[in-house]
């Protein structure tokens, strides 16, 4: 045990996507609840836990590097998370690792920690805030509504790592959201692997919250979250027909008019090779309908370029789709094989330089679309949520900007604002991805 403290100290390295981040938060909450202290530095820790990501090869490499660094710097390391599902690979490369546990195996990590660093007994250290420990800033939080996925997209190994869809009952999710809001959270980011499928495994079972019945289903969840008086943002929503039901809630201002819809491609043949549950024509019609119901809707999506066998013509189909759909926010990635993914067996890999070229072309087209759409917002007065304040002004986000992945609103003369505050601003200028603004009426206003 560290000489500097009476209580056992854990160094914690958290890698990966927001879903992994939520896992880290849960493990940290359990650790703090049991009296462990969390150490920001290896040399003050008694044990290090590395929560890894195994989604793409780059994430695997980053995770392996983090394990190596923790072993070099400290030596007593427990590995958990998605990459932990491939324990053999980790043990072969790092025989000195104490234990390896898999994705969202909270009990497994805690058991491993107990074995190698038993908890101290002090009732006061067991007191953790009811909302748990979070790694995000105080004013926003990810709300994980389900684990796993029932799809079998050929480029993805998440279903084999995390298993089939397991939804959390809606009453439990709404109660967690309520605790987070009471603790000061102003924006809830709803996440899972496939948010539209929420509740399907539970047959949309009913549950209680605030003395009323809610179905474990996206629309009811959104309606409940919309009662909490904070921003609610939906991520990873596939364009299934029932998603139409949440758009009126956006038009009514109950949840943010923002939808993150991962589409991945637009060519029917490539979508089929990817085993994606979508069709570009249907998606375009659906988008048109959504925009009729909610004209301010901001749509975000992600795409893969250079999927095996993608021809020039199929890539053009993707660009045509983007020209027509005019999505507000787009993230794009070059296809990279993931160990264990079915797509690795597909013929005709696209050469790296072609992937690079296609990625650049897609991003240039999207930058034009994004710049046009942002320019149309200049002159509007909008509510933003302030993330940071410095000497130069403040950095905030509008309803169209999810943290980390979208643009920001730079508020000149925003020094008086404070992080976590909703503020009214007038948009004065726009770029390819960001907006600039002046404070309009300061104060709380959602
Ligand atoms: S929907 Fe597809 S990409 Fe997303 S987690 Fe499931 S299998 Fe992976």
């Amino acid at each position: 045990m560290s000489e500097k403290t009476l209580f056992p100290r854990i160094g914690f390295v958290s890698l990966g996507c927001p879903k992994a981040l939520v896992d880290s938060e849960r493990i940290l909450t359990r650790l703090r609840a049991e009296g462990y202290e969390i150490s920001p530095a290896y040399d003050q820790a008694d044990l290090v836990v590395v929560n890894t990501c195994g989604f793409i090869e780059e994430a695997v490499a980053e995770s392996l590097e983090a394990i190596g660094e923790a072993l070099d710097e400290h030596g007593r390391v427990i590995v958990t998370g998605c990459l932990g599902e491939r324990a053999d690979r980790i043990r072969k490369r790092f025989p000195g690792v104490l234990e390896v546990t898999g994705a969202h195996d909270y009990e497994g990590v805690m058991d491993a920690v107990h074995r190698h660093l038993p908890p101290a007994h002090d009732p006061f250290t067991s007191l953790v805030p009811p909302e748990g420990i979070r790694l995000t800033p105080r004013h926003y939080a990810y709300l994980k509504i389900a684990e796993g996925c029932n799809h079998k997209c050929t480029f993805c190994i998440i279903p084999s790592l995390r298993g089939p869809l397991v939804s959390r009952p809606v009453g439990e999710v709404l109660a967690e959201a309520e605790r987070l809001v009471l603790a000061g959270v102003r924006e809830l980011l709803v996440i899972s692997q496939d948010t539209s499928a929420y509740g399907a495994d539970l047959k949309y079972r009913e549950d209680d919250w605030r003395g009323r019945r809610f179905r474990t289903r996206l629309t009811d969840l959104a309606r409940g979250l919309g009662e909490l008086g904070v921003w609610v943002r939906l991520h990873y929503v596939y364009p299934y027909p029932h998603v139409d039901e949440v758009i009126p809630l956006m038009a009514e201002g109950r949840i943010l008019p923002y939808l993150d819809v991962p589409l991945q491609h637009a060519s029917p043949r490539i979508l089929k090779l990817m085993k994606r549950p979508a069709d570009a024509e249907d998606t375009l019609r659906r988008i048109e309908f959504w925009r009729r119901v909610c004209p301010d809707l901001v749509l975000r999506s992600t795409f893969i370029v250079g999927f095996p066998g993608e021809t020039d013509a199929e890539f053009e189909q993707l660009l045509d789709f983007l020209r027509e759909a005019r999505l507000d926010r787009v993230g794009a990635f070059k296809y990279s094989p993931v160990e264990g993914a079915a797509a690795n067996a597909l013929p005709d890999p696209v050469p790296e330089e072609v992937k690079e070229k296609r990625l650049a072309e897609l991003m240039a087209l999207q930058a034009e679309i994004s710049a046009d759409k942002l320019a149309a917002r200049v002159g509007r007065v909008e509510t933003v949520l302030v993330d940071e304040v410095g000497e130069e002004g403040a950095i905030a986000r509008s309803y169209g900007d999810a943290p980390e992945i979208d643009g920001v609103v730079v508020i000149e003369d925003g020094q008086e604002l404070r992080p976590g505050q909703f503020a009214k601003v007038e948009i004065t200028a726009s770029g390819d991805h960001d907006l600039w603004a002046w404070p309009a009426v300061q104060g709380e206003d959602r």
Side-chain angles (χ1 to χ4, degrees), residues 19 55 148-159 192-194 238 240 262 264 274-277:
K19 284 152 272 194
F55 182 45
C149 178
N150 287 344
H151 295 297
K152 298 242 169 328
C153 302
T154 52
F155 53 83
C156 176
I157 53 167
I158 283 179
S192 69
Q193 307 296 344
D194 175 4
Y238 290 81
Y240 298 139
Q264 311 304 5
M274 289 177 164
K275 290 217 171 110
R276 295 290 292 176

Side-chain angles (χ1 to χ4, degrees), residues 44-291:
Q44 289 166 13
D46 303 299
L47 185 72
V48 177
V49 176
V50 182
N51 187 15
T52 58
C53 175
F55 182 45
I56 54 171
E57 275 307 309
E58 278 165 33
V60 171
E62 190 192 9
S63 295
L64 292 173
E65 197 181 311
I67 298 168
E69 186 191 290
L71 278 170
D72 288 347
E73 299 279 328
H74 190 279
R76 304 188 70 220
V77 177
I78 290 170
V79 175
T80 185
C82 284
L83 193 60
E85 301 285 338
R86 301 186 202 162
D88 291 352
R89 183 169 175 183
I90 295 171
R91 289 201 180 285
K92 205 163 149 210
R93 172 127 173 221
F94 302 111
V97 159
L98 294 176
E99 304 236 10
V100 182
T101 71
H104 54 266
D105 180 9
Y106 313 119
E107 294 308 319
V109 188
M110 294 308 295
D111 287 349
V113 170
H114 294 155
R115 271 193 292 279
H116 296 279
L117 186 66
H121 290 291
D122 182 323
F124 291 107
T125 59
S126 298
L127 297 175
V128 289
E131 78 280 10
I133 305 293
R134 291 186 294 108
L135 297 172
T136 45
R138 193 168 170 265
H139 58 278
Y140 67 81
Y142 293 98
L143 189 63
K144 195 181 201 175
I145 60 170
E147 298 279 6
C149 178
N150 287 344
H151 295 297
K152 298 242 169 328
C153 302
T154 52
F155 53 83
C156 176
I157 53 167
I158 283 179
S160 60
L161 289 181
R162 301 208 154 201
L165 176 76
V166 180
S167 303
R168 298 173 63 201
V170 71
E172 185 185 313
V173 176
L174 288 169
E176 180 185 342
E178 205 168 12
R179 282 196 297 276
L180 289 166
V181 172
L182 282 172
V185 164
R186 318 308 304 272
E187 176 177 6
L188 292 164
L189 302 126
V190 175
I191 56 166
S192 69
Q193 307 296 344
D194 175 4
T195 296
S196 329
Y198 176 59
D201 54 312
L202 298 179
K203 303 207 165 36
Y204 308 116
R205 196 170 74 204
E206 285 196 346
D207 203 4
D208 282 326
W209 182 63
R210 290 184 167 175
R212 279 175 293 139
R213 303 295 281 164
F214 285 78
R215 285 171 309 162
T216 299
R217 192 180 170 88
L218 181 60
T219 323
D220 282 34
L221 172 70
R223 199 168 283 126
L225 292 174
E227 290 182 17
L228 294 174
V230 297
W231 277 5
V232 175
R233 199 182 286 285
L234 302 183
H235 286 281
Y236 315 120
V237 180
Y238 290 81
Y240 298 139
H242 72 270
V243 174
D244 295 358
E245 294 168 18
V246 297
I247 308 296
L249 300 178
M250 296 180 178
E252 290 161 18
R254 293 175 194 234
I255 62 172
L256 289 180
Y258 177 101
L259 210 50
D260 175 5
V261 191
L263 296 170
Q264 311 304 5
H265 215 283
S267 144
R269 193 185 76 91
I270 297 291
L271 285 170
K272 207 162 157 209
L273 286 177
M274 289 177 164
K275 290 217 171 110
R276 295 290 292 176
D279 168 295
E281 280 305 311
D282 282 355
T283 304
L284 281 174
R285 275 196 295 275
R286 181 135 273 125
I287 289 175
E288 207 186 311
F289 170 75
W290 292 345
R291 284 185 173 142

Side-chain angles (χ1 to χ4, degrees), residues 285-338:
R285 275 196 295 275
R286 181 135 273 125
I287 289 175
E288 207 186 311
F289 170 75
W290 292 345
R291 284 185 173 142
R292 266 205 310 276
V293 177
C294 181
D296 281 340
L297 179 65
V298 161
L299 284 169
R300 173 187 173 79
S301 190
T302 43
F303 295 92
I304 295 174
V305 298
F307 191 75
E310 184 194 58
T311 62
D312 284 344
E314 284 160 344
F315 176 64
E316 269 308 316
Q317 267 181 308
L318 173 52
L319 296 185
D320 285 345
F321 173 86
L322 288 175
R323 285 186 196 102
E324 200 165 344
R326 294 183 61 77
L327 303 173
D328 302 80
R329 304 289 192 187
V330 164
F333 306 91
K334 287 181 295 175
Y335 171 77
S336 72
V338 181

